[in-house]
Structures are given as C-alpha cells and as structure tokens.
Amino acid sequence: MFEDIAALIEATQIRQRREREYGLALHRRRLVDAMGVHDFKSLMQHESRADLLEVVGADGFALLVDDSIQTMGVTPDADRIRDLQTRRRALQTDPTFFASSALTHDLGAPECNDGVAGAIFVSLRDRPDITMIWFRNERYHSIRWAGDPEHAHFVDESGRISPRKSFAQFLQNIRGQCQAWSQAELDSAGELGSLIEIEVQHRYKAELNILQTVLSRVNEAILVTEPNFEPGQSQKILWVSETFERLSGFNAEELTEMRADIMFGPKTGAADLARIGEQFARREAVRVEVLRQTKDGKPFWVDMDILPVLDRTGQVAQLISIERDITARRQMEESLRKLSTAIEQSPASVVITDLDAKIEYVNPRFTEVTGYSAAEVIGKNPRIIQSQETSRETFLALWNTLMNGDIWSGELLNRRKNGELYWEESHIAPVKNPDGIVTHYVAVNLDITERKNAERALRASEAFTKTILDSIPEHICVLDPQGRIVSVNKAWCQFAENNEAAWLAENSTSFSYRDICIASTDQADSRIAIDAWAGIESILKKTSDHFVLDYLCDSPDTPRWFRMNVYPMIAPCEGAVVAHENITERKLMEISLDNERTQLRTLLETIPDLVWLKTPEGVYLTCNTAFALFLGATAAEIVGKSDRDFLDEEQAALFRDKDRAAIAAGRPCISDETMTFAHDGHRAFMATIRTPMLDHSGALIGVLGIARDITERMEAEARIKTINLQLAEQGRKLEQRVIERTEQLRQLAVKTTLAEERERQAIAADLHDDLGQMLHVAKIKLGTLSKSLRDGCFSESLIADMNAILSEASGMVRSLTSQLSPPVLKDLGLVPALGWLADEMRRIYSLNVTVEDDGAPKPLSGAQSAILFRAVRELLINVSKHARTDRAEVRVQRDDSQIVITVADKGIGMTDPRGATHSPKGFGLSSLRERIAFLKGAVTIDSNPGGGTVVTLHMQLESAPAAASEGA
C-alpha cells in the first residue's frame, strides 16, 4: 500500500510540477514577446496584461519606476506600496529579489485591511529604480488543533493530568498570510526579471553583449547558440556563462569549439529533438530535463528553459538556454522510488497520518530515533514528539503549505521519549487519490542533530567574524606574514569599486599589499605609499605593535583624508590587520572649524564692542580685547574667573543679576549700563545685550554678552534736544518769512509762465514766417512737378528749385536749433558762442555785430551760460528788427566777481526803457529781467530817442572748482 501511495504521490507531484512550470514559462515567453513591441508601462494596458499576473499566480501587480506607480489587479494603495518598498530595501537581503507570504510579519509593516498578504519584489540589477511587485491576497483559514499548545497539559483538582482536557480540540484562525509562493513561482519571477533586463538592455546594445552582461549575473548556467533549425544539424555555441563552465567541466574556449549537441545529452532521442526543433521554428520556448555528462564523464541532470531571442525584424537571432542543476532533485526522486520498495529499511523515519493528523504508520527508524514504539504512537498526533522549541510560525507555514497541496520541507526541533532534544530534516507531502483529493500526509524525517550541531558551531564562528568585519565602516584587509592579502571586508570592496579599482575588489586575495604600495609610487602620494609599507613591515616583522598614518587620498572630485591603522594578529595567528578609516568629514570639519574660529576671533578683535561668554554659573569662557581692557586684564587671565575677581561686589552682583534675568527670560535682554574701564579709568554709557546660549539639544551652555559704547550717542541726543529747542524758535520766525516768500514765488511763477508763453510764440513765429513759407513754396513746386509728370513732361528746373528750397529749409532748421542752444556754447563756452552768434546775425539778419572780450577768466555754470547767451541773442534780434540800424556791439568784461555784458546800438532808441513792453518775437525786456534775476543777476537799460540803446547784463560768477572757466 505504501509503495502505491508513494508512487502515486511522486507521479502526481511530477505531473503537476511540470504543468505548472510549463504554464509559467509560457506566460513569461508571451510577456517577453509583447515587450519586444510595447513599452513595459503600455504592456499593463495590453491584451497580454493577464500574463503579468499568471506568470507567478498573483492577484495584483505594481510597476515602480522612480516615484511613479502603475498598478493592475488587487494591490495596496500607492502610499503602502512605497512603504513596503522602503522596508524591503532596508533589509540586508538580495536587493534584486525578495518574496514573502506574510508581508506584515516579514517587513515589520503595520497591519492594513487591504486584503493583500504576500508579495514578490523583483528589481532590475542595472536599474534598481525599476521594480516589479506581484501581490497575493490574504488567505483566511482555520486550523483545528488537538490540544492547546499554550496549555499543553491540564491538571485536575487531584493534580493528575486530564487527557480529555489536554487533547480537547480548539479552532485557531490564521490571518495575515497568503498561499505560500512555490519555488516554481519564485523561479518564474526571478527568470522574468532576468528576461526583462535582457529586453531592456536589448534596446540599447548589441544582442550578444546584452546576453553576456545580464545572463552572467544569474545563478543558472547559461548557454547561447546559433538559431539553426535544420534537421540533422546542430547549432554552434556562441557563449557560455561561468556557471555553465563549472557545471560542465569544460572551459569557454573548449565549448565554443563544440556543437550544441551536448545540450541534450546522449539519452535525448531523435523524435524529441525534432519536436524541439519545431517549437524553435514557431519561436516558442522549450522546457526540458536532460541527462548530460561532465568533461570527466560524470553524469548530471539539468532543467533547461531554451528561449529564442528575436532581432528587431522578428527573426530568431540566437537561442539562449537557462539551465539549473537538478541532479540533487533527480537523485531525491530516485531515492523516493527506491524508498517506496524499501521503506522499512530506510535510514529515515517515515510517518503517515490521516487528515486529522492521527498517525497510521511509522517505520522502524522512527522508533530508533524517537524511542516510541509503533503501538505507542498509532492513532496519536505527531505532537507527541514536539519539543515546544519550534516556533508557532513554522507550524503555521507547514500547514499552509500542506493545505495548498504542496510539499513542505524544513527543519524541526523535536524531543525523544527520554526527553532529549534532536533535530530532524522533515519533508511532509499530501497524498492524493486519483481524483486529486488529499487523503493522507506522509512525512520523511532525517536525524540531523550532529550536522546541526557542527553547522551551528561553524556558522557561529564564521558569522561572528564576518559580521564584525562587514559591520565595521573602515576598509579592512587581513595580511599573512608575507604581506599578502588573505581577506577583506565589505567596505574595502565597496571602496575599490567606487574608485575605479574593481580589479582590486574582485581579486584582492591575489595581491600583496606591497604590490599595491609599489603601484602608488608613481602617483602624487608616492611618499605616503612608501611610508605605509614601511609601517606595515614593522608590524609584520614584529618590531612595532601599532602603526598609524594619516594621508590625503587622491580623488577626482573632492579631497579625502584617511587614517591607516595597522595592528598585529593575536597569537597563535600571524600577520597583520590593516584598517583605513575615512576621516574626511572630521578633517573638513576641523578645517572649517579652524577657519570659523579664525574669522570669529578676527571679527571679535576688530569690532569696538565688548564681547564675552560666560558659563551659566558666571565663569568666563572667552572674551575679546575690548572687554579685556574694560576689566584691566588679558583674555588669558580672565578665562576661568568670574566678575568678583575683577569688579567690586556691587557691580559684580549687578552683572550677575542681569545674566540670571536673561537666562530666566530665555531670550536676549537689552539694558543700558554705566561702566568704568579699568585700563584708563574713564566711564562710558554702554548698551548691553545678554543672550542665553543653547546647544543642539536646547540645553543652556552659557550667556553671551555684547556691550556697545553709546556715550557719544547719549551726548549727541542731549545736544539734539538743545538744538531742537533753538530750531523751534527759529522755525516760528521762519514761518512768517516763508509766508512772505510764498507770495513772492507765486507772483514770480505767474511771470515765468508768461515768459515761457512768449518764448513759444516767438519760436512759432520764426517757424511760420520763415520755415512755413518755404515749405508752402515747396508744396506749390511739388504740385507743379506732379502735374508735369502726369502730362509726360519732366522739368529739371523744378527739381532744382525743390532741392534749393529744401536745402534752405534744412539750413534754417539747423540755424534755428543752433540759435536756441548752439553746440559751441556747450563745447567752448559763452565767449566763443557769442562770436558764432555774431556770424549768424550777419548771415541771417544782415546785422554787423562786433564782440569784444577782456580776456579774463569767467567761470560760469551751464545754466548761467545758456541764460546769458539767449539774452544777448534776443537783444540783437530786437536791434535788427526795431532799432533801424545795421550795426551793434557786444562787450564782455569781468568786474571783480561778476561778469558784465553790454549790448549797444546806434539806433532810434526808446522813449521809456522802464516801461518797455514785450516784443512779439523775443524775450521782451521784462522777461529778460526776470530770467537774469532768477540767477541773481541784474539788467540796466540806458536809451534816448535817436541816441541808441545800451543794455547791460550783470551776473555773479561761479566760485566752485567744478564750474566751467570762460577764456578770453
């Protein structure tokens, strides 16, 4: 019966496993094919999206790319997914793969009623920012136990154990777990991750390089061949992984000279090869188990996934075989077959129970191991050998696995009949009838107590050493007595990889430390390398028991400092331990702190303020020179002492009270104080601010005081009060004068407005009388020219007339502009400008003007020069238009601190110079007086009818050095 049961179990398990593995491989292949056409994110919306779940038998899927999350099916919310990802990365596990059937327990995540309990995390090795997560729903189930494990024995009133109560059944509800991921599903997820990484790399690199880069990182053996499907021919081997070399015993050079016939082994028939070739031709993946031989003839079994790799045109470019050594599994299966015929002689104990976990059969080995006879255990629960040392979670996982129809394998710590504890390697499987219904459970147990004890001791020793080394942040290597590197820690390897020395990380144990130092002697730090090896030699030769060296490490980015410590190995071991500690942060902090201290000390010694720092108890910690002068001591003499050591009791108590007030207030406190300086005895008013100083944790560490001398300010404030009283009196007097001046300014503003209006009228008259007439003539000429052109006649004389008129108009515009503000006035000064004005009056008005200058310097401002120039111009224009004479004289003289300009003519004169009215085209004498008076000048007029007119302008010269100097 047991042979039949075992055979049935084996056949059913093999069939289900193969069907499951083939189905998973098919889903993987469809996904990889779809990814060749679609972007991975788009694939989640594609018709193949169902394969994303079926590839591992999941209920939901999430894709994490950087910070974005895309989901399908049943998943937690985005925030919980990010939290799970963060917790998963924090684990000291494989960063590319993680699986759990109890997320809340395994990741320490808070419970969340989202219905999700298990997950598989797969991250791309070259793109850790891309992570795929498959989720599996929580499986809520109950277990019926015979006996409460928390109260194994119930005792009645008489003190005797009550079997009825001890083995009373109770129901346990189990939550927070999902159906456990099978090994095939885990392998499928891992292989899919590898295939996706291949596809991602395939988009950017040559296909063979992609396969070599990605496939060399997986633990499976990899073989890449040509895509040759012709019958009777085999493919050439293009590339093999290191794992394949180790598995087959051949090296890569030998394998690339061989054909791919070795893939299928000597026992794969022609019909099987033909079927495989047909699948290749249809671009389908092939899953097959074959028996091969190593180079030395040793047989071994492999489980192969052979996948066609398509090029961009959709043609098969290569075949890739992903292989796993299943020799141990096949041997176990063979052992099971043998065991089914020789179970009674088995060295392993075998237990068969019904669905209620009542024992129906045990083999003799069970009796030998446990000490219980078959009669003692038949009909009882296997709990009879439990030690209560195995965790409750282990049994929950055991029953979850069995209820899912899977085989559970694990290790259990049980108790023999004599009370002795022992370890068993247990394999428990459900036995199913032809309808697939579980009828029994079969357990095969091996006593591994001795092995566990040995492994425990070895693991403890290795783990202890490795944990210590890898947990140390320093880069550590262990040297033998000759200086050869025999071991390095994780920090050493990471440092080598980060500094483009991957060769040193991968092959550290093949180098001598002396070789590393010699390789550094041609660099800038060669002296350091020589000193380093000399120190190491002193340790190895036992001439020194400790060596330390601080050095600046060459870095392409930023300077880095390290400290090398070398210690001898503790006897009986020989050699040395070299530890490199990164002290960059400390060095930079020291440099920064030194700089800050220097800057702060320079600042404190530069400012005139008094600065000091005390402890909360009033003891001085530091002060600047200004404060030291106040106390009449040096800073070194002040530090460590209190106010009572330098001040009288009253002032010391006052200072101490104000320090305490600032501490009690918890904020800066400002006060005015009178201080007497000890070095010269002078008293000063000081504005003082005292501030409580806190450390990073908020604890009080001292009181900072800053005092500023405000004596001058106080005295200035007193003077200001006196001046303000004087100003108030003067203000009252000035107020009346302002009222009077305001009226005068109002009248002057009216006159100024009228003068500006007269100027605008004069400019408009000039434009109308002269330029306007010219433009009108030009318009008439232009009309005549237009008419002649329409009549077909072309008159050069009209064009010449137009050119002459426009030239004259242009000249008149330039002349008028120059008369208003000639450039020569700005460039050369008033006297040269008057000479230019004389020429313009002769040219435009036919008035002969002579200009005389006494040659004395006449410094004038720009405004003075402009006003005087325009006044002379307007006077000369009035002469030309109203005096009925063709001659005039202009004389420029300096009279002490004044400039005197006289404009004289021999014309008809005026009867009443004081009542002269405004000229319609000039300043007008009244306007002229106003403008000259505005610049603190004066105008005098001397005229008689028939005797001509003399107008004299007086104006004060500029005395500032920046004023313009008028030459002769």
Side-chain angles (χ1 to χ4, degrees):
M1 178 186 69
F2 298 117
E3 295 177 358
D4 294 340
I5 292 174
L8 178 61
I9 291 172
E10 177 186 10
T12 302
Q13 290 175 346
I14 293 174
R15 174 176 56 81
Q16 290 179 342
R17 183 170 60 253
R18 289 199 175 190
E19 289 176 354
R20 180 59 173 163
E21 291 173 349
Y22 179 78
L24 296 177
L26 184 61
H27 291 305
R28 287 198 304 275
R29 183 69 260 162
R30 286 206 297 261
L31 285 174
V32 173
D33 290 343
M35 285 184 61
V37 180
H38 300 279
D39 178 74
F40 195 77
K41 290 185 178 181
S42 302
L43 187 64
M44 296 179 67
Q45 310 298 327
H46 188 254
E47 60 184 5
S48 299
R49 62 184 180 273
D51 291 319
L52 280 172
L53 301 179
E54 295 299 332
V55 73
V56 297
D59 299 303
F61 177 79
L63 175 64
L64 282 70
V65 180
D66 294 327
D67 244 356
S68 65
I69 299 178
Q70 193 171 356
T71 62
M72 63 177 289
V74 179
T75 66
D77 59 36
D79 290 339
R80 182 164 177 83
I81 292 176
R82 290 190 182 94
D83 178 64
L84 294 175
Q85 172 73 335
T86 301
R87 293 174 182 274
R88 192 271 294 191
R89 286 178 173 173
L91 297 177
Q92 298 297 322
T93 59
D94 184 356
T96 63
F97 188 89
F98 176 77
S100 171
S101 298
L103 284 173
T104 301
H105 175 269
D106 293 345
L107 295 181
E111 294 186 0
C112 181
N113 297 323
D114 52 12
V116 175
I120 299 177
F121 296 76
V122 177
S123 299
L124 300 189
R125 195 177 301 272
D126 287 340
R127 291 288 305 278
D129 56 320
I130 299 179
T131 301
M132 299 172 290
I133 308 177
W134 287 272
F135 293 100
R136 181 168 281 179
N137 289 344
E138 178 183 33
R139 182 183 182 190
Y140 179 80
H141 60 283
S142 302
I143 297 179
R144 186 179 302 278
W145 296 87
D148 189 343
E150 296 181 358
H151 301 86
H153 304 290
F154 282 89
V155 180
D156 58 18
E157 296 177 353
S158 63
R160 292 178 299 175
I161 294 177
S162 172
R164 181 181 300 277
K165 291 184 178 180
S166 297
F167 293 96
Q169 292 188 352
F170 75 96
L171 192 65
Q172 179 183 7
N173 297 321
I174 299 177
R175 303 200 62 175
Q177 298 180 358
C178 69
Q179 179 180 338
W181 303 98
S182 68
Q183 188 60 44
E185 292 168 341
L186 297 177
D187 292 343
S188 180
E191 291 176 14
L192 179 60
S194 299
L195 295 174
I196 289 175
E197 189 161 359
I198 292 173
E199 186 62 29
V200 171
Q201 294 290 340
H202 179 76
R203 299 169 189 249
Y204 305 101
K205 300 179 182 178
E207 295 173 358
L208 185 56
N209 290 335
I210 296 172
L211 291 173
Q212 292 175 347
T213 300
V214 177
L215 299 179
S216 62
R217 298 178 181 177
V218 299
N219 295 325
E220 292 85 352
I222 308 298
L223 177 72
V224 180
T225 69
E226 293 177 336
N228 191 345
F229 306 134
E230 296 298 328
Q233 298 185 13
S234 61
Q235 300 83 15
K236 180 180 179 181
I237 297 176
L238 301 177
W239 180 84
V240 296
S241 66
E242 294 180 3
T243 306
F244 191 94
E245 294 182 60
R246 292 193 299 269
L247 190 62
S248 65
F250 295 97
N251 59 40
E253 291 76 10
E254 293 173 330
L255 289 168
T256 51
E257 296 298 326
M258 303 169 67
R259 309 301 291 182
D261 295 337
I262 64 168
M263 290 176 56
F264 301 103
K267 291 190 177 182
T268 304
D272 293 331
L273 292 175
R275 175 180 56 79
I276 292 172
E278 292 175 358
Q279 289 181 275
F280 286 160
R282 295 195 299 269
R283 299 175 177 78
E284 295 178 355
V286 174
R287 182 74 178 267
V288 64
E289 295 181 2
V290 298
L291 178 65
R292 290 201 196 135
Q293 290 182 341
T294 62
K295 183 178 180 180
D296 57 6
K298 181 180 179 180
F300 66 97
W301 283 91
V302 292
D303 179 15
M304 297 193 305
D305 278 310
I306 307 176
L307 311 172
V309 180
L310 306 182
D311 59 19
R312 298 186 183 277
T313 64
Q315 300 299 316
V316 178
Q318 296 164 350
L319 296 177
I320 178 171
S321 175
I322 304 174
E323 306 177 359
R324 291 158 296 279
D325 185 357
I326 60 171
T327 304
R329 194 196 75 193
R330 292 297 294 253
Q331 291 174 347
M332 182 177 290
E333 292 173 353
E334 181 64 22
S335 297
L336 287 175
R337 283 191 290 270
K338 293 178 180 179
L339 184 62
S340 65
T341 59
I343 193 171
E344 289 295 321
Q345 291 78 34
S346 172
S349 61
V350 179
V351 179
I352 300 177
T353 71
D354 61 15
L355 295 181
D356 292 329
K358 293 180 180 180
I359 297 175
E360 294 185 354
Y361 170 81
V362 295
N363 71 340
R365 178 60 178 168
F366 176 87
T367 300
E368 296 175 13
V369 171
T370 65
Y372 291 99
S373 65
E376 290 177 300
V377 298
I378 296 297
K380 295 182 179 179
N381 192 290
R383 192 179 298 108
I384 191 173
I385 61 173
Q386 289 182 10
S387 65
Q388 307 301 324
E389 299 292 334
T390 302
S391 67
R392 184 184 186 89
E393 289 74 15
T394 300
F395 288 109
L396 292 177
L398 182 155
W399 282 108
N400 286 338
T401 302
L402 295 179
M403 291 179 180
N404 290 332
D406 297 324
I407 299 175
W408 183 87
S409 296
E411 297 177 351
L412 300 174
L413 182 59
N414 290 330
R415 189 182 302 276
R416 308 184 201 274
K417 184 177 180 180
N418 61 6
E420 179 184 348
L421 295 176
Y422 70 99
W423 280 97
E424 279 191 329
E425 178 184 315
S426 182
H427 303 274
I428 306 175
V431 179
K432 300 179 182 179
N433 61 18
D435 297 327
I437 299 174
V438 177
T439 60
H440 294 80
Y441 297 111
V442 175
V444 179
N445 305 315
L446 297 174
D447 187 347
I448 57 172
T449 304
E450 293 184 2
R451 189 193 79 189
K452 290 292 288 185
N453 292 337
E455 288 178 352
R456 184 185 303 108
L458 180 60
R459 283 197 305 270
S461 176
E462 292 178 347
F464 180 76
T465 304
K466 185 65 175 174
T467 301
I468 291 177
L469 286 177
D470 286 346
S471 64
I472 297 175
E474 288 82 1
H475 318 139
I476 296 177
C477 69
V478 180
L479 309 181
D480 65 11
Q482 288 72 43
R484 291 188 296 266
I485 299 175
V486 297
S487 178
V488 297
N489 71 342
K490 184 177 180 181
W492 171 285
C493 298
Q494 188 64 47
F495 178 79
E497 292 175 357
N498 293 342
N499 288 271
E500 301 180 355
W503 56 272
L504 184 58
E506 298 169 356
N507 305 294
S508 296
T509 55
S510 62
F511 291 98
S512 167
Y513 206 98
R514 183 172 180 272
D515 298 335
I516 299 175
C517 292
I518 292 175
S520 302
T521 55
D522 59 347
Q523 302 178 5
D525 57 354
S526 60
R527 183 68 259 171
I528 296 175
I530 295 172
D531 293 343
W533 176 245
I536 293 174
E537 272 193 319
S538 68
I539 299 297
L540 294 175
K541 293 179 181 180
K542 300 181 180 180
T543 60
S544 176
D545 58 0
H546 179 219
F547 173 73
V548 62
L549 174 66
D550 289 353
Y551 61 93
L552 178 63
C553 181
D554 184 30
S555 174
D557 300 323
T558 57
R560 294 177 299 175
W561 285 267
F562 288 85
R563 171 168 293 172
M564 182 176 76
N565 284 284
V566 186
Y567 299 93
M569 296 285 286
I570 300 175
C573 299
E574 293 188 352
V577 176
V578 182
H580 296 264
E581 177 188 3
N582 190 334
I583 60 173
T584 302
E585 184 176 352
R586 184 195 313 166
K587 277 287 186 182
L588 293 177
M589 189 176 298
E590 290 175 356
I591 294 172
S592 175
L593 187 57
D594 289 342
N595 292 337
E596 291 178 0
R597 285 174 175 169
T598 301
Q599 295 169 2
L600 180 59
R601 176 51 61 181
T602 302
L603 176 64
L604 292 178
E605 297 301 331
T606 302
I607 62 175
D609 297 344
L610 281 63
V611 181
W612 67 91
L613 178 64
K614 300 179 183 178
T615 66
E617 294 75 25
V619 178
Y620 284 101
L621 296 174
T622 186
C623 68
N624 66 349
T625 303
F627 185 79
L629 292 175
F630 162 67
L631 292 182
T634 65
E637 294 171 340
I638 294 172
V639 172
K641 297 181 180 179
S642 65
D643 293 323
R644 286 187 171 84
D645 296 315
F646 303 97
L647 304 175
D648 58 59
E649 187 65 27
E650 181 180 355
Q651 192 170 19
L654 177 62
F655 280 17
R656 184 61 184 146
D657 290 341
K658 292 187 175 182
D659 290 344
R660 290 170 176 163
I663 295 174
R667 56 179 176 79
C669 293
I670 302 174
S671 62
D672 292 341
E673 304 171 17
T674 301
M675 294 185 178
T676 301
F677 283 74
H679 75 289
D680 60 3
H682 81 276
R683 293 173 62 82
F685 292 102
M686 308 296 289
T688 305
I689 179 170
R690 289 177 170 83
T691 305
M693 297 290 289
L694 308 178
D695 63 11
H696 65 280
S697 63
L700 179 68
I701 60 174
V703 179
L704 174 66
I706 302 175
R708 175 165 295 177
D709 189 343
I710 59 172
T711 304
E712 293 183 1
R713 191 190 77 187
M714 297 289 287
E715 294 173 352
E717 289 177 355
R719 290 195 297 271
I720 289 172
K721 290 181 180 178
T722 302
I723 292 172
N724 285 338
L725 295 175
Q726 296 173 354
L727 290 177
E729 180 61 26
Q730 294 178 3
R732 286 190 294 272
K733 294 178 181 180
L734 290 174
E735 184 176 356
Q736 184 60 34
R737 294 180 61 186
V738 168
I739 294 173
E740 296 172 357
R741 290 293 186 184
T742 301
E743 180 60 25
Q744 294 174 2
L745 289 175
R746 185 186 63 78
Q747 296 175 3
L748 181 59
V750 173
K751 292 179 181 180
T752 301
T753 302
L754 296 175
E756 291 176 351
E757 181 61 27
R758 288 195 295 272
E759 288 184 29
R760 286 194 290 271
Q761 290 174 359
I763 294 172
D766 286 341
L767 292 174
H768 178 269
D769 293 348
D770 298 327
L771 184 59
Q773 292 179 8
M774 287 184 182
L775 293 177
H776 183 68
V777 173
K779 181 179 179 182
I780 295 173
K781 293 286 186 179
L782 187 61
T784 304
L785 178 61
S786 176
K787 184 176 182 301
S788 64
L789 290 175
R790 285 196 302 271
D791 295 341
C793 300
F794 181 75
S795 175
E796 292 185 358
S797 61
L798 286 175
I799 294 176
D801 291 344
M802 284 291 297
N803 187 45
I805 291 170
L806 293 175
S807 297
E808 184 178 358
S810 177
M812 182 171 293
V813 170
R814 288 196 300 273
S815 175
L816 181 58
T817 304
S818 298
Q819 291 175 29
L820 292 174
S821 180
V824 69
L825 177 63
K826 179 180 179 182
D827 298 336
L828 301 179
L830 178 61
V831 174
L834 293 177
W836 172 84
L837 178 61
D839 294 336
E840 288 294 298
M841 297 302 296
R842 184 181 301 108
R843 182 178 63 82
I844 299 173
Y845 298 102
S846 300
L847 178 66
N848 295 313
V849 180
T850 60
V851 179
E852 297 179 5
D853 178 46
D854 63 0
K858 305 171 185 68
L860 296 169
S861 67
Q864 289 175 320
S865 298
I867 293 297
L868 290 173
F869 175 82
R870 293 186 65 184
V872 173
R873 175 178 176 274
E874 292 299 331
L875 289 172
L876 292 176
I877 291 175
N878 286 340
V879 169
S880 69
K881 293 186 178 182
H882 305 295
R884 299 178 186 176
T885 181
D886 60 355
R887 301 187 69 80
E889 295 179 359
V890 177
R891 289 189 297 276
V892 183
Q893 297 174 309
R894 176 168 179 166
D895 182 11
D896 195 11
S897 61
Q898 286 190 336
I899 182 173
V900 180
I901 301 176
T902 304
V903 180
D905 67 74
K906 300 295 184 179
I908 61 175
M910 293 181 289
T911 58
D912 183 13
R914 291 182 175 276
T917 58
H918 301 295
S919 171
K921 295 188 178 182
F923 258 123
L925 295 178
S926 176
S927 174
L928 187 145
R929 285 193 183 96
E930 294 171 357
R931 292 177 178 269
I932 297 300
F934 178 75
L935 294 178
K936 299 180 181 180
V939 179
T940 60
I941 303 174
D942 184 12
S943 180
N944 293 309
T949 303
V950 177
V951 180
T952 304
L953 308 177
H954 301 266
M955 187 171 291
Q956 195 74 20
L957 292 172
E958 283 284 319
S959 59
S965 177
E966 294 293 343

